[in-house]
Amino acid sequence: MSQDAPPVAPAHHDGAGVRTWSLTWHGVRTVVALELRQRVRSSRWKTALVVWVVVVGAITLLSSGALSWMLGGTGDDQSRGPLLFMIVTFLVLGLGLLVTPTLTSTAVNGDRAAGTLATLQVTLLSPAEIALGKLLAAWFSALAFLAVSLPFLVLAVAMGDVAVLALPRVVLLIALLLAAVCGIGLGWSTIAARPAGSTVLTFLTVAGLTIFTPVFFAITYPAITSTEEVTVFGVTDEMWEDFDDASGYPQCTYFQDVRDVAHTERTSWLLTVNPFVVVADGAGTGPANDPRSSVYRVDPTAELSRGVRDLAAPPTAIDECWSWGEGEPTPADRPEVTVGGPVWPWGLAVNLLLGGLGFAVAVRRLRIPQRTLARGTRVA
């Protein structure tokens, strides 16, 4: 008598015979088309787009007029362009970080509450296709807000003294940061059972990256400050005691002394992940102002970039020979200023990692059948 062969275990599948992470262009395009069609039909989305243009345009024009009025009579024309570019860039980024969470924070639990999510899950669409389609649709919607802001960014660059390449850099960085926020919101929409809960959690995450990071950096500042013996470039106390008008100003020299030193390189990562720091450091609007130069150019974006890079660099010789009056000899052997490298790649990578983590969570929680569901969760 022949012995029956043992049954072969089938390959692991989810849902209607599709793998969790399988992706097809047709499947992703189908979900994107469905999502975008719903958004285009919604009057709220159109209203938000119109309000966006009015707000950004009004603030841009008012800021341009105010800068022309304040700087017109001072001859400081080289600062007008960088100032307006900073205002428009941070305005667009800030509004984008406020609007984008609403595009994905209810993408899954909102459809589940409306009873439309189960219809997608029982089709041949894989969880990855559903999640990626919703993510791309939300990102395209966010890019629409960025696209209508381009004329105002071009206006700021056209005012002069801003590197032309700063415009595509800023647009690309803002677009990637908005994609990261879309991924974060999508992840929370699959974790929280209620749309209101996922929206609050998404806004808290964005606030943690933008507001709480500099707050935590300031709070930890005393903890990283210690009294150490360091190299100082300046005037010793003995030289100041012997100073008189007849002998002339004392020369700056190197000497060892005790100073309070803050090791900001240990906590600068808190600022690195901030989206505003990422955009400012990656914009490359121009060189930061040199305090020793006779030409003063106000560029807040470049100053923020240089400040964060300085904080990320380890402390070196302390330069206290930074003030000299008319007739004082400028020191020739001043220590070189140590400036850290670019920090925006690391900050952008962290934001994209958080967005990718949210996307991965969404794919995993879109699998069917689900072992456990939150209390009160609608199935179909």
Side-chain angles (χ1 to χ4, degrees), residues 41 56 89 119 129 234 241:
R41 291 175 179 175
V56 176
T89 299
T119 306
E129 289 172 340
E241 292 175 357

Side-chain angles (χ1 to χ4, degrees), residues 59-371:
I59 295 179
T60 301
L61 295 178
L62 290 175
S63 300
S64 176
L67 290 174
S68 299
W69 177 73
M70 290 187 298
L71 303 177
T74 62
D76 192 13
D77 295 334
Q78 66 272 14
S79 300
R80 191 181 308 171
L83 283 171
L84 183 62
F85 188 78
M86 182 273 298
I87 293 173
V88 178
T89 299
F90 283 5
L91 175 65
V92 172
L93 176 59
L95 292 178
L97 294 176
L98 288 176
V99 173
T100 304
T102 64
L103 301 176
T104 56
S105 59
T106 61
V108 175
N109 52 18
D111 286 356
R112 182 179 284 118
T116 58
L117 180 64
T119 306
L120 288 177
Q121 290 179 300
V122 298
T123 63
L124 293 178
L125 294 169
S126 69
E129 289 172 340
I130 297 175
L132 184 58
K134 289 181 174 293
L135 176 64
L136 291 178
W139 188 41
F140 292 158
S141 301
L143 290 181
F145 290 93
L146 179 59
V148 297
S149 305
L150 286 178
F152 308 110
L153 290 170
V154 172
L155 175 63
V157 175
M159 296 191 71
D161 292 287
V162 177
V164 178
L165 291 179
L167 178 60
R169 292 196 195 104
V170 163
V171 172
L172 179 60
L173 288 174
I174 294 179
L176 292 176
L177 289 170
L178 295 182
V181 174
C182 288
I184 294 172
L186 184 64
W188 283 124
S189 71
T190 60
I191 296 176
R194 299 290 185 268
S198 58
T199 302
V200 171
L201 290 172
T202 305
F203 275 113
L204 284 177
T205 305
V206 174
L209 292 171
T210 56
I211 301 176
F212 297 156
T213 48
V215 171
F216 290 152
F217 177 81
I219 292 175
T220 58
Y221 192 86
I224 60 175
T225 303
S226 59
T227 303
E228 303 175 6
E229 185 177 1
V230 294
T231 301
V232 180
F233 182 71
V235 179
T236 63
D237 294 336
E238 292 78 8
M239 296 178 66
W240 279 118
E241 292 175 357
D242 298 336
F243 166 73
D244 56 45
D245 295 336
S247 60
Y249 291 95
Q251 292 288 340
C252 294
T253 59
Y254 287 95
F255 60 94
Q256 297 294 123
D257 204 350
V258 177
R259 293 289 189 275
D260 289 335
V261 180
H263 290 274
T264 54
E265 75 278 4
R266 301 172 184 172
T267 57
S268 61
W269 59 271
L270 288 169
L271 300 177
T272 300
V273 300
N274 191 298
F276 291 93
V277 173
V278 172
V279 173
D281 189 55
T285 56
N289 178 62
D290 186 358
R292 305 168 197 171
S293 174
S294 58
V295 179
Y296 189 76
R297 172 179 175 270
V298 179
D299 188 350
T301 307
E303 294 295 338
L304 177 59
S305 173
R306 185 178 68 175
V308 174
R309 294 186 184 189
D310 289 345
L311 294 174
T316 56
I318 298 179
D319 187 359
E320 294 183 350
C321 195
W322 44 264
S323 176
W324 57 89
E326 183 179 356
E328 297 183 58
T330 303
D333 55 349
R334 177 181 296 275
E336 296 183 0
V337 179
T338 302
V339 180
V343 299
W344 68 265
W346 304 104
L348 180 62
V350 172
N351 281 268
L352 292 178
L353 180 62
L354 292 175
L357 180 62
F359 172 75
V361 170
V363 172
R364 185 172 182 82
R365 294 185 63 89
L366 281 172
R367 294 187 305 177
I368 52 173
Q370 283 287 329
R371 294 182 181 272

